[in-house]
Amino acid sequence: MCNQKITLLVVTFVKEFNTSLTLLFRFIVVGIYELGHLNYLRSFIYSLLWPVSCSEALSHSSLVHSGKVVHGRSVVPSPIVSSPDLWHSKTMELKMRLCVALLSLSLCLGLMGHVRAQEEADDMEMDVEDAIDDMQEEDVEEEEQQVPASPPVPTVTYKAPEPMGEHYFAESFDKGTLHGWVLSQAKKDGIDEDIAKYDGKWEVEEMKDTKLPGDKGLVLKSKAKHHAISALLLRPFTFDTKPLIVQYEVNFQTGIDCGGAYVKLLSQTPDLDLEEFVDKTAYTIMFGPDKCGEDYKLHFIFRHKNPKTGEFEEKHAKKPDADLRTYYTDKKTHLYTLVLNPDNSFEILIDQTVVNSGSLLNDMTPPINPPAEIEDPDDHKPEDWDERPKIQDPDAVKPEDWDEDAPAKIPDEDAVKPDGWLDDEPEYISDPDALKPEDWDEDMDGEWEAPQIPNPACETAPGCGLWQRPVIDNPNYKGKWKPPMIDNPNYQGVWKPRKIPNPDFFEDLHPFRMTPISAVGLELWSMSSDIFFDNFFVTSDRNVAERWAADGWGLKKAAEGAAEPGLVNQMITAAEEKPWLWIVYVLTVAVPLVLIIVFCCTGKKSSASTSAAEYKKTDAPQPDVKEEAEEEEAKEEESEAKKSEEEDSTGEAEEAAENDKKDGNTSSEKSEDDILRRSPRSRKPRKD
C-alpha cells in the first residue's frame, strides 16, 4: 500500500514537473522573441500564437535568415517583417496574446491545484482499528444528517513507536493502562486541608480531536487540583561522559489559563518513595512549559550541589528569545526536548527546532560559581566623604539690581479697551425661562436660583463686564537668585565598600555532573483540564531520540497537517481575524498583474524615421522609398558639391596658365584627380 502511494506521488510529481517545465520553456522563448536576437525562435513563437502552421513560420524564418529578404525586398510575403508599421502592430498583438495566455495560465494552474488537492483527498485510503467500527457507523449517520456534508479528512495510520537503541525510559501509553506509574497518596504541606491532597485525576485515553485513532496518552483530567504521578527509570542515569536527552509531547487540548506541563527528573536517593511524591521531593532537573496569565515560560531548572556546604540551589536557564505564545494556544501536539552535554552545553528544542541554548557555566541564574571577592559587610562610609561632583560657588554674590520680588507677568500698558465694550452688562445672566421645580423644598434644598446663561447682549459686542488689561511677560523678571555651580574641589567619588576574599568561594568547572536520576514524575497544579502527555523518552543517544520522535510525534504532525485547511482557507480565516490582511492580499495579487499587463501590452511606438542601427538590431529590411527629409538633405549636399567643383575648376585654370610649360603627363594626372574629386565616393558621409 505504501509503495503504491509513493509510486502515485512520484508519477504525479513527474507529470506536474514536465508541465511546469514546458510552460517555463515557452515563457523563456517568448522573452527571447521580444529581444529579437534569433529569427527561428521568433518564427516559432509566431507559430504558437499566430494562426499559421509551424512549417510556414519556419519557412519565413529560413528566408530571412538565408538573406532572401534583403534591401527591403522580400522574395515571399512575410507576415512578420513586411514593414515597420506592420511589425509594430504584429508585436503589439502578440504581446496582447501573451498577456491573455499568462492570465489564462494562472487561472488554469489555480483550478488544477484545487482539483489535484481534491483528488488526493479522495484517493487517500484510511486504515482504522476494528474496535471503532460501531463509532464510525454512528459518525456516518450524523454526517448524513448534516447539510452540507464536510469533505473527507485524510488520516495517517497509527503504529505505536518501539524504542530502539540504548534508552533509560520509554512510555507511549498505547497499552491503555498506567502500568508502571504510581499515583501519589501524599498531602502538600502548608496549605488548607481541602486542597492539600494530590487527588487530581489521571486517565489514559485518546485526544478529543484525535487524527490518529489508537494513539493514547496520559491526560490530566481535573482542574484546580494537585496532581502527582511518577515512574521509575529502567536504570538510574549517571551524569558522566554521556549526554542526557529528555523529550516528551504535550497538547493543551482546551487551551491553558494558568498551570504547568513540566516534568521532573527525580534524584536517586535512598528514601525515594513514589507514593509520597510531593513538591518538596528531591529532583535533579525540572523541564517543560508553564503559563500563568500572559507569562509564557519554558523551564529548565537544575539543582546544583554546593561542594563546600553540601546544600542544593536551583539554577534557572535564561529566558528564550523565541515567542512561545503559539505553542500554548494552537491546540496542537508539540515535542519538547532537552539536551545536556558533558561539555556543559545545553539545548532546548520545540518540535525539533532550537529555541534556547547556552552553557551551564555562563547562562544560568544565579551563576554556578560565586564571585572570588565580595564587598566587606563591615566596611562603612566615612562621615567626611564628599560624593558631590558640583557645589555652589561660595564666593558668588547676588547683583545689586537683581529684583527677586518682580512678578513674572505684568499688565500690558499699551492695551486699549475695544470700542463697543459693554461695561454695565454682565457676562452671564439668570435664565428668564427657567422655572423652579415643583418638588423643590427650600427648607431642604435652600433658596432656588435660576441657572446662568450667556448674556445675549454680549453676543454682538467685543465683551461685557469690567474690562481689564491683558497680562504679558515681565521683561525685568529674573526669579530667585542662586549662586552658580562649580566643580567640587573636595570631590572623592562615589564611595564603595572595599573588596575582601569570598569565604564561600568555590569553582565547579563541571556542573554537568549532577545528582543521578532514577525516576520521572509530573507534579502539577493547573486551572485547565485535559492536558495531554505522550511519548516520554530518556536516552543518551540523540539518534535514538530522533528515531523515537519520528515514529511518535512525526505521525501526529503528519496527521494534523493532512487535516489542516488549505492555504486559501487559512488566509481567509486569518483575514477574518485581522481585516487589514485583505489589503495585503489585494496588493499581492494586483501588483504582479499590473506589471504583467504593463510589460506585455505596452511597447515603443514606431517613429517616422527608423535608424539604421534599429534595423540592424531587429534584422528587418530597410524600406525602398526614401523619406522626404533624407531627399532634401541629399539635394543640399549635391548643391554644395557643385559649388566646390566650380571653385576647383577656376583654381585649376589659373594654375594651368602659370604652368603651361609642364609636360602632358602632369596635365593628365590632374585631370584624373579632378575626376576622382567629382566622384560621389569622395563626398562627405551623411549623418543618419
Side-chain angles (χ1 to χ4, degrees):
M1 181 66 67
C2 182
N3 293 334
Q4 293 177 355
K5 291 182 179 180
I6 294 175
T7 304
L8 179 60
L9 290 175
V10 170
V11 172
T12 305
F13 174 78
V14 171
K15 290 182 179 180
E16 297 302 330
F17 178 77
N18 291 336
T19 303
S20 302
L21 189 62
T22 303
L23 295 173
L24 180 62
F25 173 74
R26 291 187 177 184
F27 184 79
I28 293 174
V29 171
V30 169
I32 297 176
Y33 169 80
E34 291 295 331
L35 295 176
H37 291 299
L38 301 175
N39 287 304
Y40 71 92
L41 286 177
R42 187 188 320 131
S43 300
F44 179 68
I45 294 299
Y46 187 86
S47 67
L48 290 177
L49 301 178
W50 194 261
V52 296
S53 64
C54 184
S55 58
E56 182 181 353
L58 291 175
S59 65
H60 290 308
S61 175
S62 61
L63 288 172
V64 175
H65 189 65
S66 60
K68 294 183 179 181
V69 181
V70 293
H71 302 297
R73 296 180 175 85
S74 302
V75 177
V76 294
S78 175
I80 305 177
V81 291
S82 58
S83 69
D85 294 336
L86 183 57
W87 167 259
H88 175 69
S89 62
K90 297 299 184 183
T91 302
M92 291 298 298
E93 188 168 358
L94 289 178
K95 288 183 178 180
M96 289 293 296
R97 289 176 176 269
L98 177 59
C99 180
V100 174
L102 289 176
L103 294 176
S104 302
L105 176 61
S106 301
L107 180 60
C108 292
L109 289 177
L111 294 175
M112 190 166 56
H114 176 73
V115 173
R116 190 185 310 117
Q118 187 66 29
E119 291 177 353
E120 290 178 357
D122 295 337
D123 293 340
M124 292 188 67
E125 299 181 3
M126 300 187 295
D127 297 332
V128 185
E129 298 290 336
D130 296 334
I132 59 172
D133 289 338
D134 296 337
M135 296 293 294
Q136 284 184 334
E137 294 176 359
E138 295 177 0
D139 294 338
V140 170
E141 292 177 358
E142 293 178 358
E143 291 177 357
E144 290 177 353
Q145 296 176 359
Q146 295 178 356
V147 179
S150 59
V153 178
T155 61
V156 180
T157 303
Y158 176 73
K159 180 181 178 182
E162 295 291 338
M164 301 177 63
E166 183 182 6
H167 64 281
Y168 296 83
F169 187 79
E171 180 60 80
S172 63
F173 301 101
D174 291 325
K175 295 180 181 179
T177 64
L178 286 174
H179 177 70
W181 291 82
V182 180
L183 294 173
S184 176
Q185 306 298 325
K187 295 182 180 180
K188 195 170 185 178
D189 296 335
I191 59 174
D192 295 338
E193 186 70 19
D194 296 338
I195 59 173
K197 293 182 179 180
Y198 283 90
D199 55 355
K201 293 183 179 180
W202 299 90
E203 295 290 345
V204 176
E205 60 185 20
E206 297 181 4
M207 284 190 292
K208 291 183 177 180
D209 188 19
T210 183
K211 306 299 186 299
L212 286 175
D215 179 24
K216 298 179 180 180
L218 180 65
V219 181
L220 183 148
K221 299 295 294 183
S222 308
K223 62 173 59 176
K225 293 282 188 179
H226 289 287
H227 303 73
I229 190 171
S230 56
L232 291 173
L233 302 182
L234 299 178
R235 60 188 182 280
F237 179 87
T238 303
F239 294 87
D240 46 18
T241 59
K242 294 182 179 180
L244 172 67
I245 297 95
V246 181
Q247 68 182 25
Y248 67 105
E249 301 168 12
V250 178
N251 187 312
F252 299 106
Q253 300 184 82
T254 59
I256 181 72
D257 296 325
C258 186
Y262 43 81
V263 62
K264 289 183 177 180
L265 303 181
L266 305 183
S267 303
Q268 183 185 17
T269 57
D271 58 347
L272 178 61
D273 184 0
L274 299 185
E275 290 186 352
E276 298 297 323
F277 178 32
V278 293
D279 59 329
K280 295 181 180 180
T281 301
Y283 69 90
T284 300
I285 294 174
M286 190 176 87
F287 166 67
D290 188 14
K291 174 188 179 290
C292 197
E294 291 300 317
D295 188 10
Y296 300 87
K297 297 179 181 179
L298 183 56
H299 290 300
F300 167 42
I301 305 171
F302 79 94
R303 296 172 72 244
H304 178 259
K305 183 177 181 180
N306 190 317
K308 295 190 69 173
T309 63
E311 297 179 355
F312 287 89
E313 184 180 17
E314 290 184 352
K315 308 294 183 180
H316 297 249
K318 63 181 181 180
K319 188 176 181 180
D321 296 331
D323 185 7
L324 305 178
R325 184 188 301 268
T326 304
Y327 303 113
Y328 295 81
T329 58
D330 60 2
K331 298 182 181 180
K332 294 182 180 180
T333 303
H334 295 289
L335 178 68
Y336 295 87
T337 306
L338 171 65
V339 180
L340 291 179
N341 297 308
D343 61 355
N344 300 319
S345 63
F346 69 88
E347 288 183 337
I348 299 175
L349 302 90
I350 302 180
D351 298 343
Q352 298 182 331
T353 300
V354 177
V355 296
N356 196 3
S357 62
S359 170
L360 299 178
L361 288 171
N362 304 321
D363 299 306
M364 306 300 291
T365 304
I368 298 296
N369 298 312
E373 292 183 339
I374 61 172
E375 294 179 350
D376 186 0
D378 299 328
D379 190 15
H380 302 285
K381 182 174 70 172
E383 295 181 358
D384 58 349
W385 189 276
D386 195 346
E387 294 182 340
R388 300 173 300 168
K390 296 282 187 180
I391 62 172
Q392 292 182 351
D393 187 1
D395 300 328
V397 179
K398 182 176 71 172
E400 295 180 357
D401 59 347
W402 191 283
D403 186 3
E404 293 183 349
D405 299 328
K409 298 285 186 178
I410 59 174
D412 186 4
E413 299 297 336
D414 298 332
V416 179
K417 183 172 67 174
D419 295 336
W421 188 278
L422 304 178
D423 295 290
D424 299 332
E425 291 287 343
E427 188 175 358
Y428 291 94
I429 62 173
S430 299
D431 187 359
D433 299 330
L435 300 176
K436 183 174 69 172
E438 296 179 357
D439 58 349
W440 187 274
D441 189 352
E442 292 188 356
D443 296 335
M444 297 292 295
D445 302 327
E447 184 181 358
W448 181 81
E449 294 180 358
Q452 299 289 305
I453 62 172
N455 191 346
C458 300
E459 293 180 357
T460 58
C464 294
L466 180 62
W467 180 80
Q468 295 179 350
R469 297 179 183 275
V471 295
I472 59 174
D473 294 333
N474 185 0
N476 299 322
Y477 173 75
K478 297 183 179 180
K480 187 176 179 60
W481 181 84
K482 294 180 181 180
M485 303 297 290
I486 61 173
D487 293 335
N488 185 2
N490 299 321
Y491 176 66
Q492 296 175 272
V494 178
W495 181 87
K496 293 181 180 179
R498 63 175 176 268
K499 296 285 188 178
I500 61 173
N502 186 358
D504 299 326
F505 173 74
F506 64 85
E507 188 175 27
D508 182 4
L509 299 179
H510 304 284
F512 172 77
R513 297 173 184 173
M514 306 175 191
T515 305
I517 58 176
S518 60
V520 173
L522 297 169
E523 189 270 319
L524 305 170
W525 165 274
S526 178
M527 295 301 296
S528 302
S529 60
D530 296 316
I531 301 177
F532 184 88
F533 299 87
D534 199 6
N535 294 332
F536 289 88
F537 200 66
V538 180
T539 182
S540 60
D541 190 334
R542 194 159 185 174
N543 294 328
V544 175
E546 291 178 353
R547 189 182 301 114
W548 172 270
D551 294 340
W553 174 78
L555 286 179
K556 287 187 178 70
K557 182 181 179 182
E560 292 174 352
E564 285 183 353
L567 178 61
V568 175
N569 292 334
Q570 293 181 11
M571 295 173 63
I572 294 175
T573 303
E576 290 176 353
E577 297 177 358
K578 301 177 181 179
W580 56 268
L581 286 176
W582 287 113
I583 300 176
V584 178
Y585 297 161
V586 171
L587 292 178
T588 305
V589 175
V591 171
L593 288 178
V594 171
L595 292 177
I596 291 175
I597 293 174
V598 170
F599 172 76
C600 297
C601 303
T602 60
K604 294 181 179 180
K605 296 182 178 180
S606 58
S607 58
S609 60
T610 305
S611 63
E614 193 68 23
Y615 282 111
K616 273 194 170 185
K617 290 180 180 178
T618 58
D619 290 335
Q622 297 185 12
D624 294 334
V625 182
K626 293 184 179 180
E627 299 179 359
E628 296 179 359
E630 294 179 352
E631 292 179 355
E632 293 177 358
E633 185 178 357
K635 291 179 179 180
E636 292 177 359
E637 291 178 353
E638 289 179 359
S639 60
E640 292 177 358
K642 289 181 179 180
K643 292 180 180 179
S644 61
E645 288 176 1
E646 292 176 358
E647 293 175 358
D648 292 341
S649 61
T650 305
E652 289 172 359
E654 293 175 356
E655 187 177 359
E658 293 176 358
N659 302 318
D660 53 347
K661 294 183 179 180
K662 290 184 178 180
D663 54 354
N665 293 334
T666 302
S667 300
S668 63
E669 290 177 0
K670 286 186 175 294
S671 63
E672 290 177 0
D673 292 337
D674 294 338
I675 294 173
L676 291 175
R677 191 179 297 110
R678 297 189 191 98
S679 175
R681 293 185 180 180
S682 62
R683 296 176 184 173
K684 296 180 180 179
R686 293 180 297 176
K687 295 182 179 179
D688 294 334

